Amino acid sequence: MSYVICHYSEIGLKGKNRRFFEEKLVENIKRSLKPHFFEFVKRISGRVIIKLTGLTKEGIKKQKEIKASLKNVFGIVNFAFAENSKQEIESIEKKTLELLRGKKFKTFKISTQRSKKEFPLTSQEINEKVGEYILKKAKGKRQKLKVDLENPDITCFIEIVEKYAFLYLEKFKGVGGLPMTVSGKAIVLLSGGIDSPVATFYLMKRGVKAIFVHFYAHPYTNKASIQKVTQIVEVLNKFQFISKIYLVPFAKIQKEILLKTPAKLRVILYRRMMFRITEKIAQREEAQAMITGESVGQVASQTLENIKVIEEVVNLPIFRPLIGQDKEEIINKAQEIGTYDISILPYQDCCSRFLPKHPATKAQLGELKKAEKKLKIEKLVKEAIKTTELKIIK
Ligand code: ATP
Ligand code: MG
């Protein structure tokens, strides 16, 4: 196969932004493939096409690798490895026959899409002509070969577009969504657990570039959580190639909270500090939002009441794409993305250490503010930012 045709859907609806979206998609496809795998990637009407470099002995292996890469490119709804034929019905017929050679099937269908309206035959006429040709050629050899429009064993797709006539037998499902980075940047609070990487996926899918923040409690805990989030980001990089992660030492803040505030408010106070620090990092990065893996009622800090008093400390919008998902749904998605196996490795979460027996499920803003009077909030935030480390993960 010498081409790949990539189809997208929603980008086509984006009016004036369409050009920008399509160019991003082209750029992202190029980045996702090894440079020596393709001659060019370009937009043609309503599609992006990839011209592959000449097939060698390792063709099949290469095709597998290309397929795996394209499955992670947001914006692609489906794609197909295709042959190109001259834009003449005789050539199309012959190429179709070649394509079907060696395939086992009793029924078939030709499905043509014609974007180039100057082509002398309509889609329906092409279907009929090519179908008849295949039947004629099969006479004597394949006794029972039949056209079946409802449920064929095999479908041959033909796309007449610009100067091309593409032919292919199989479409692969893409991940959908919008091209990476068309929607701006957001900061993800990445914990090392199951949920936050899944939350990241959903926003990335809508074209958001994720920048990560992780809070760790060393020396109260070991540094395994850092290794873990690094590994998780490496997996998520299959969608955005390169990522920034801010590693924020949180032990000092935890110690202050532990010593000076009521135990039942601890978790909420930790969270308020995390949000304040994250907002500062967002400002530095010019990110427009924050993302968490919260889901209603999963833990004490995720009741509606507590979510409200936690987010009260920041102005940025907070996105919680998992808010209405059950754990099982989240786990399934984590497995699909490939983060699950890393997320379930044992580690010491900074907030599950020193967890009170009875955390408040309906903390009042008044009592939180009173407790925070005992803390030097601004100073603690500043210090945390100052000691934060930025790591680039490729
Ligand atoms: P997760 O599986 O993502 O850890 P969780 O169900 O364990 O979530 P919590 O521990 O209450 O829930 O965390 C809720 C959200 O807060 C997480 O999804 C994450 O976005 C953020 N968060 C929690 N701990 C950290 C941390 N150490 N660093 C950065 N973000 C964190
Ligand atoms: Mg957690």
Side-chain angles (χ1 to χ4, degrees):
M1 298 291 176
S2 43
Y3 285 87
V4 183
I5 314 175
C6 303
H7 293 110
Y8 43 83
S9 64
E10 271 182 78
I11 307 176
L13 309 172
K14 298 292 171 203
K16 273 195 232 144
N17 276 333
R18 179 175 173 155
R19 185 68 182 256
F20 167 65
F21 278 57
E22 287 173 337
E23 277 167 6
K24 268 280 176 237
L25 182 60
V26 168
E27 189 187 311
N28 296 345
I29 289 173
K30 281 184 184 166
R31 278 183 81 179
S32 79
L33 300 174
K34 288 191 181 144
H36 65 276
F37 279 4
F38 62 91
E39 272 176 38
F40 64 74
V41 179
K42 69 173 182 183
R43 299 181 299 127
I44 60 170
S45 50
R47 300 145 176 82
V48 170
I49 59 168
I50 306 167
K51 172 100 198 288
L52 300 174
T53 46
L55 278 186
T56 56
K57 266 196 221 146
E58 28 148 27
I60 295 293
K61 201 174 137 219
K62 183 162 124 182
Q63 197 158 321
K64 261 194 183 161
E65 208 177 313
I66 294 171
K67 193 174 142 193
S69 301
L70 293 179
K71 276 188 175 285
N72 296 330
V73 176
F74 289 123
I76 299 178
V77 172
N78 64 62
F79 61 95
F81 290 90
E83 286 296 355
N84 180 31
S85 144
K86 254 203 226 155
Q87 247 180 28
E88 290 165 357
I89 190 68
E90 294 79 16
S91 307
I92 294 174
E93 288 170 349
K94 280 199 191 113
K95 276 259 180 189
T96 307
L97 188 66
E98 266 173 46
L99 206 61
L100 291 171
R101 189 165 292 145
K103 303 271 185 257
K104 286 205 174 86
F105 60 99
K106 287 196 179 128
T107 58
F108 75 102
K109 166 184 160 181
I110 309 290
S111 169
T112 306
Q113 251 190 316
R114 187 191 59 150
S115 307
K116 184 177 165 168
K117 299 297 172 199
E118 301 90 66
F119 192 77
L121 301 169
T122 64
S123 300
Q124 187 49 31
E125 285 166 344
I126 299 169
N127 290 345
E128 285 167 14
K129 273 202 168 276
V130 178
E132 274 167 30
Y133 181 83
I134 301 296
L135 286 174
K136 195 175 85 193
K137 287 287 169 189
K139 232 179 192 168
K141 289 181 219 155
R142 287 182 195 247
Q143 299 291 335
K144 287 191 213 114
L145 192 60
K146 270 202 309 216
V147 171
D148 180 349
L149 301 180
E150 296 299 316
N151 195 16
D153 296 336
I154 204 164
T155 301
C156 180
F157 298 92
I158 302 176
E159 291 187 29
I160 314 276
V161 49
E162 295 191 3
K163 60 179 184 178
Y164 306 93
F166 292 116
L167 311 169
Y168 56 91
L169 299 176
E170 197 177 3
K171 280 189 209 182
F172 300 104
K173 209 168 160 354
V175 62
L178 297 175
M180 188 200 61
T181 76
V182 297
S183 309
K185 289 188 274 187
I187 309 282
V188 180
L189 286 102
L190 191 69
S191 64
I194 297 168
D195 305 332
S196 33
V198 177
T200 311
F201 170 84
Y202 283 117
L203 267 298
M204 278 178 164
K205 185 172 176 207
R206 300 305 299 168
V208 173
K209 168 92 186 175
I211 295 165
F212 300 94
V213 168
H214 174 68
F215 296 86
Y216 65 96
H218 185 77
Y220 295 146
T221 61
N222 59 26
K223 284 192 171 179
S225 75
I226 295 183
Q227 201 188 343
K228 221 174 150 186
V229 289
T230 304
Q231 275 176 290
I232 288 173
V233 173
E234 278 164 3
V235 173
L236 292 170
N237 267 353
K238 69 183 173 191
F239 302 113
Q240 66 171 21
F241 311 117
I242 180 169
S243 297
K244 281 182 182 176
I245 179 162
Y246 285 90
L247 300 167
V248 187
F250 205 52
K252 170 104 189 269
I253 290 175
Q254 283 186 289
K255 189 174 157 197
E256 289 289 298
I257 291 174
L258 214 67
L259 291 176
K260 297 182 179 159
T261 68
K264 64 172 189 152
L265 300 181
R266 242 175 238 168
V267 176
I268 298 165
L269 294 171
Y270 291 161
R271 287 265 181 273
R272 280 165 68 94
M273 290 306 283
M274 284 186 184
F275 275 31
R276 289 184 177 106
I277 294 165
T278 304
E279 190 176 50
K280 287 270 183 294
I281 292 171
Q283 283 162 359
R284 179 184 297 184
E285 285 286 347
E286 293 178 1
Q288 294 111 317
M290 291 159 52
I291 301 169
T292 77
E294 289 161 307
S295 138
V296 171
Q298 214 187 68
V299 288
S301 61
Q302 296 173 20
T303 61
L304 293 186
E305 290 84 356
N306 286 350
I307 284 177
K308 180 164 189 280
V309 291
I310 292 169
E311 74 174 22
E312 183 263 346
V313 296
V314 292
N315 285 315
L316 274 184
I318 298 163
F319 298 136
R320 303 174 177 90
L322 309 184
I323 199 71
Q325 292 202 14
D326 298 340
K327 199 72 189 186
E328 197 184 331
E329 294 170 84
I330 301 171
I331 287 175
N332 288 342
K333 199 70 194 174
Q335 281 168 333
E336 202 182 295
I337 303 166
T339 51
Y340 181 75
D341 290 341
I342 306 168
S343 290
I344 56 168
L345 295 173
Y347 76 115
Q348 297 164 305
D349 178 37
C350 71
C351 295
S352 49
R353 286 281 294 213
F354 319 118
L355 216 56
K357 274 216 182 77
H358 303 289
T361 52
K362 294 180 182 182
Q364 299 300 312
L365 195 54
E367 56 181 343
L368 291 167
K369 286 195 166 159
K370 194 173 148 212
E372 281 178 348
K373 282 218 174 89
K374 304 245 163 61
L375 307 168
K376 295 196 170 88
I377 300 281
E378 249 180 70
K379 186 167 162 262
L380 288 172
V381 169
K382 262 196 191 139
E383 267 176 24
I385 296 276
K386 225 176 164 179
T387 46
T388 291
E389 211 184 312
L390 171 59
K391 218 166 135 182
I392 307 284
I393 298 175
K394 284 191 211 180

